[in-house]
Amino acid sequence: MDVLWFFEWLDASYLATLSKSSAGMFAVVQMVHLLALALLGGMVLLGDLRLLGVLLRDVASEVVLANTQKWFSIALLGLVVSGVYMSAAVAMKLYYNEMFWAKMAALVVGVVFVYAIRRPLLRHDHQSISPWVLRCVAVASMTVWITVAACGRWIGFS
């Protein structure tokens, strides 16, 4: 399915005009994007390193994951909203950028992984889940989100 029409529409939208005309606002939104990325990354690392038994060993992993999940969801929302605003300014450039599509694919995989696999699996008592499963979930989670961040950073170089 070709989505060129969406990027053409986004490039001609009021949001794109606003994004292109206000460098100060763009910088603020970019800052929000980076802060949300830091928050999301921190929550992923905190939760996954707890699952690996590296951090916060004295706190139940269920408690750590319940608290990090709230902030993860807020950060994800901030990333998506700020990302759409920033993308509007360079929509056509992004359409032809392979790293943008790699980031979007990794982002979809990450969101599906978190909300369809990780959260449902980890709602159960972690003592009843094999430690190897917990470790695999943690490593997979970190791998996916590091891929999202790396591809996002690489967009600027390609």
Side-chain angles (χ1 to χ4, degrees), residues 51-105:
L51 286 177
L52 291 171
V54 175
L55 293 176
L56 300 170
R57 291 180 174 182
D58 57 334
V59 180
S61 56
E62 293 89 350
V63 172
V64 173
L65 290 175
N67 288 311
T68 58
Q69 186 60 47
K70 295 175 207 171
W71 290 104
F72 173 90
S73 296
I74 291 168
L76 183 61
L77 179 63
L79 279 170
V80 170
V81 171
S82 60
V84 169
Y85 179 86
M86 293 187 325
S87 297
V90 290
M92 294 311 297
K93 180 181 176 185
L94 290 178
Y95 177 77
Y96 294 104
N97 187 313
E98 292 177 7
M99 290 313 297
F100 171 76
W101 291 109
K103 178 184 177 180
M104 291 301 104

Side-chain angles (χ1 to χ4, degrees), residues 92-140:
M92 294 311 297
K93 180 181 176 185
L94 290 178
Y95 177 77
Y96 294 104
N97 187 313
E98 292 177 7
M99 290 313 297
F100 171 76
W101 291 109
K103 178 184 177 180
M104 291 301 104
L107 180 62
V108 167
V109 168
V111 169
V112 168
F113 179 78
V114 166
Y115 292 104
I117 298 171
R118 186 176 186 258
R119 275 184 79 186
L121 176 69
L122 298 179
R123 278 194 182 128
H124 304 289
D125 178 28
H126 293 184
Q127 298 294 333
S128 66
I129 303 171
S130 166
W132 283 105
V133 171
L134 294 176
R135 289 183 188 119
C136 287
V137 166
V139 169

Side-chain angles (χ1 to χ4, degrees), residues 3 79 141 150:
V3 293
L79 279 170
S141 174

